[in-house]
Amino acid sequence: MFNGDLGNILSIDTVEQEVTVDYGGRAVVYDYADLNEITLAFAVSVHKSQGSEYPVVIFPLYMQHYMMLSRNLFYTGLTRARKLAIIIGDKKAISLAVRTTDDQQRYTRLWQRLLQPI
């Protein structure tokens, strides 16, 4: 198992004192003594959620993490919600996220490659 792996509890055996967790089709059995190796997942970051959708997204925006407040991340987070998006936070943080654009130029040389004859 790796940090960030997400799984679902398949079964809890109180007699054998084991918990079986499914990690994407791979079942892993944990002894009760080893349960400190796993933690419940209550949140997924915007970065981790890219390419996924969820029925409901609760999106906290606070000034404590002002460096992460950008329009691109805000848009990405909101578009993960299928049915409902709930935004929680400071008005100032929400305003900053909406106003901040990531204007960093990327130097990929893609345009030069596209102009080269095949």
Side-chain angles (χ1 to χ4, degrees), residues 4 17 29 42-43 50 85 89 93-94 96 101 115 117:
Q17 296 190 334
V29 178
F42 293 102
Q50 286 185 339
I94 296 167
L96 182 62
T101 59
L115 293 176

Side-chain angles (χ1 to χ4, degrees), residues 31-39:
D31 187 78
Y32 276 14
D34 298 326
L35 288 180
N36 63 339
E37 295 179 17
I38 60 174
T39 59

Side-chain angles (χ1 to χ4, degrees), residues 1 6-11 20-30:
M1 300 306 94
L6 297 177
N8 294 311
I9 295 174
L10 293 177
S11 65
T20 305
V21 180
D22 174 45
Y23 293 99
R26 188 178 65 203
V28 177
V29 178
Y30 290 91

Side-chain angles (χ1 to χ4, degrees), residues 57-112:
V57 170
I58 301 173
F59 203 165
L61 292 173
Y62 291 97
M63 291 302 295
Q64 284 86 343
H65 303 287
Y66 69 93
M67 294 296 291
M68 298 296 292
L69 297 175
S70 72
R71 186 182 306 169
N72 292 347
L73 284 177
F74 186 57
Y75 174 81
T76 301
L78 286 180
T79 57
R80 301 307 100 194
R82 280 189 185 164
K83 295 182 180 180
L84 177 65
I86 300 169
I87 303 167
I88 301 171
D90 304 324
K91 288 181 182 180
K92 183 177 179 181
I94 296 167
S95 175
L96 182 62
V98 170
R99 288 183 289 118
T100 304
T101 59
D102 187 9
D103 291 332
Q104 294 180 355
Q105 188 172 0
R106 297 182 184 184
Y107 299 101
T108 64
R109 298 176 48 115
L110 177 61
W111 68 272
Q112 291 169 333

